[in-house]
Amino acid sequence: MSVYQPRDQLTVRHERAILVSVALPERPWVGDDPLEELQGLAETAGAVVVGRLLQKRQRIDPATYIGQGKVEELAELCRRLDADVVIFDNDLSPAQTRNLETALQVKVLDRSELILDIFATRARTVEARLQVELAQLEYSLPRLKNMWRHLSRIRGGIGLRGPGETQLEEDRRLVAQRIRDLRRRLQQIEARKQRTVAARQNEYTVSLVGYTNAGKSTLMNALTGAGVYVEDRLFSTLDTRTRQWWIPNFGRVLLSDTVGFIRDLPHHLVASFRATLEEARQARLLLHVVDASNPLAEEQIQAVQRVLRELHCDNKPTILVLNKIDRIADRSELVWLMRHHPNAVAVSAATSEGLSDLQEAVRQVFLSEYADAEIECDVGDGGLLAFLASHGKILHQRFENGRARMHCQIPALLLAQIARRGAQVRRLTTASSEW
């Protein structure tokens, strides 16, 4: 019995790669170098880039994506540069991949397949590995026929199927069963993650989101001293980490670092990483970290916002953090970004410049959620009195007839919890205050 192993098909480590990008009316090139990001992805996967090919088309070729003339040019380029793999900055259909591999006689990968490969090499925890494997299998299932094309000439009629067809059906069943098993395990992980996140509903939770390599992990280290792994490469963080962040004149906040986003992030990855992204979905505030030194900063902001919409996080309170300002040679570029995003905070996680401004911005967001309330409870309820003192600010208090009446400033989300503890709670306004 054969067991299908997608990693053997996906890896591009230590291979000589030629990069290809096709501009279409609905998908134009971004930036001065259309292949800059793809080259970064290929090098992150371990490939050595030896050649490039660009083409503009009004519509894709159904058989090979690029035109026949470009296929011949690419085949000659592969032979001349001794390439092992051709990587497209576009998403190819299974048939297009098969036809291109036949014409080029080298392995052909598309953008989604390359990103999946990087995620597979970077996954460290059991959860991340399961998520990546699920995304890979869902991507590869419709492409299994291509894996067995070397047996395609062996045919059989009813009751006499050839071994290639038998093997293909067997592998499809194995992959489909593995997908079901992975989904079931990830559903259990997601349910556990939701319970963990829900247990923090009375905490101030902040989640770092942003384009890959925007400096989220470096910023987390600067704010919390967490000492999390930092590397100047794409997708160095795949697993969520949560650390305590103490904000002056406010208190404790739980800060979470999440996986970075990217333009045209494969849908399978977004779906598979729902458990990892639960921190961002449930956070009370998002810090959208942007590499302000990147010439494509504005395009990256838009790409992250598209992913946030897919996660239904686009209406969540968000502070735009323009990071890496120490790398900006021409400060007029920063002025332009600030003009287009007037509520953004400019920082450098590497030099700590602007971090106090960021702390104050977060503090103001959370302080706006405070409510004035009159809380009455038994004077012997020491637990509640201690809770009020640690989570809010007691402005005035009176003790009479065994009861304590306090005028507090306290997070509005805690009022229902205080009422459940047996206290009498009344929201105050300037007009209704008796203090």
Side-chain angles (χ1 to χ4, degrees):
M1 178 180 294
S2 172
V3 178
Y4 174 64
Q5 308 224 357
R7 289 291 299 112
D8 294 339
Q9 299 293 336
L10 295 177
T11 182
V12 296
R13 297 190 66 78
H14 312 303
E15 293 179 298
R16 296 169 61 83
I18 294 176
L19 309 182
V20 180
S21 180
V22 179
L24 300 168
E26 66 274 15
R27 191 183 184 273
W29 285 323
V30 177
D32 298 330
D33 184 357
L35 287 170
E36 180 180 8
E37 183 173 87
L38 186 66
Q39 179 163 341
L41 289 169
E43 291 173 350
T44 297
V48 178
V49 177
V50 296
R52 297 166 151 230
L53 187 69
L54 299 172
Q55 185 180 33
K56 288 185 177 181
R57 294 182 64 88
Q58 289 301 113
R59 63 184 65 86
I60 64 173
D61 187 300
T64 55
Y65 205 95
I66 56 178
Q68 187 57 40
K70 282 294 182 182
V71 172
E72 295 173 1
E73 180 182 344
L74 185 56
E76 172 59 29
L77 198 60
C78 289
R79 288 191 292 271
R80 181 160 52 85
L81 298 177
D82 191 26
D84 303 299
V85 59
V86 171
I87 304 175
F88 275 72
D89 196 29
N90 312 81
D91 283 334
L92 306 175
S93 70
Q96 288 164 347
T97 301
R98 181 171 64 251
N99 294 337
L100 284 167
E101 288 186 342
T102 300
L104 303 177
Q105 293 299 300
V106 298
K107 182 166 57 178
V108 175
L109 303 179
D110 64 12
R111 180 183 176 88
S112 292
E113 209 166 1
L114 178 61
I115 294 174
L116 286 169
D117 182 83
I118 295 171
F119 271 58
T121 60
R122 292 301 177 92
R124 296 290 180 267
T125 66
V126 172
E127 178 184 346
R129 288 170 181 161
L130 291 176
Q131 291 166 329
V132 171
E133 184 182 355
L134 175 60
Q136 283 185 325
L137 289 175
E138 289 181 328
Y139 178 87
S140 301
L141 184 57
R143 293 163 170 78
L144 277 178
K145 187 175 181 180
N146 190 36
M147 311 295 184
W148 288 99
R149 65 182 183 274
H150 61 289
L151 296 176
S152 60
R153 289 190 298 271
I154 305 175
R155 300 291 184 185
I158 297 175
L160 196 65
R161 295 186 298 172
E165 188 176 358
T166 303
Q167 188 64 67
L168 175 61
E169 292 303 318
E170 183 178 339
D171 279 3
R172 278 177 173 161
R173 286 193 295 271
L174 287 171
V175 172
Q177 180 60 49
R178 180 61 176 165
I179 287 175
R180 287 192 293 271
D181 292 342
L182 288 170
R183 283 177 177 167
R184 186 161 48 248
R185 292 180 64 182
L186 285 172
Q187 284 173 356
Q188 295 171 350
I189 292 175
E190 185 170 358
R192 186 165 62 247
K193 180 80 75 173
Q194 287 174 345
R195 290 194 296 270
T196 301
V197 174
R200 303 175 186 155
Q201 61 180 340
N202 294 328
E203 299 278 1
Y204 289 96
T205 53
V206 179
S207 185
L208 295 168
V209 298
Y211 212 79
T212 181
N213 210 33
K216 297 183 297 298
S217 296
T218 303
L219 181 60
M220 186 175 195
N221 286 340
L223 294 173
T224 69
V228 300
Y229 176 75
V230 174
E231 186 179 3
D232 189 18
R233 301 190 77 181
L234 303 178
F235 298 119
S236 61
T237 300
L238 290 189
D239 305 298
T240 300
R241 300 116 162 180
T242 301
R243 300 290 187 271
Q244 294 186 95
W245 175 21
W246 292 92
I247 298 180
N249 301 316
F250 181 79
R252 187 183 76 160
V253 166
L254 296 182
L255 182 65
S256 297
D257 188 13
T258 60
V259 60
F261 302 150
I262 197 169
R263 176 175 56 87
D264 300 330
L265 188 66
H267 176 74
H268 292 315
L269 272 179
V270 177
S272 298
F273 273 71
R274 286 188 71 86
T276 297
L277 295 169
E278 187 66 23
E279 298 280 356
R281 294 173 61 214
Q282 298 295 336
R284 295 175 60 189
L285 175 66
L286 299 180
L287 297 185
H288 179 176
V289 184
V290 180
D291 179 0
S293 67
N294 193 308
L296 301 179
E298 190 61 39
E299 287 78 4
Q300 293 181 355
I301 290 173
Q302 300 301 321
V304 171
Q305 289 176 342
R306 285 193 292 271
V307 178
L308 290 176
R309 281 195 295 272
E310 188 171 348
L311 294 171
H312 306 294
C313 294
D314 49 317
N315 292 323
K316 193 176 291 292
T318 303
I319 296 176
L320 190 69
V321 182
L322 302 177
N323 191 26
K324 301 187 182 182
I325 59 174
D326 57 302
R327 297 188 181 184
I328 301 178
D330 184 358
R331 282 296 173 115
S332 64
E333 297 175 5
L334 179 59
V335 172
W336 185 89
L337 282 171
M338 293 294 293
R339 185 180 299 122
H340 282 75
H341 304 280
N343 296 321
V345 180
V347 307
S348 168
T351 66
S352 298
E353 181 182 355
L355 294 188
S356 59
D357 296 334
L358 178 58
Q359 290 178 330
E360 180 60 22
V362 173
R363 192 176 80 93
Q364 290 300 324
V365 169
F366 286 140
L367 283 178
S368 67
E369 300 179 6
Y370 270 65
D372 277 278
E374 178 187 274
I375 299 173
E376 184 176 339
C377 66
D378 189 273
V379 292
D381 193 346
L384 179 57
L385 296 175
F387 181 87
L388 295 175
S390 62
H391 289 81
K393 183 177 182 181
I394 300 177
L395 302 178
H396 305 281
Q397 56 186 352
R398 299 174 185 166
F399 299 95
E400 49 189 42
N401 300 324
R403 303 287 289 176
R405 289 181 63 200
M406 290 155 288
H407 176 198
C408 303
Q409 285 182 340
I410 198 159
L413 82 164
L414 297 180
L415 294 179
Q417 179 182 348
I418 293 170
R420 287 195 297 270
R421 298 180 66 152
Q424 296 179 12
V425 178
R426 182 165 67 97
R427 292 284 292 263
L428 297 176
T429 64
T430 302
S432 66
S433 176
E434 301 173 1
W435 301 86

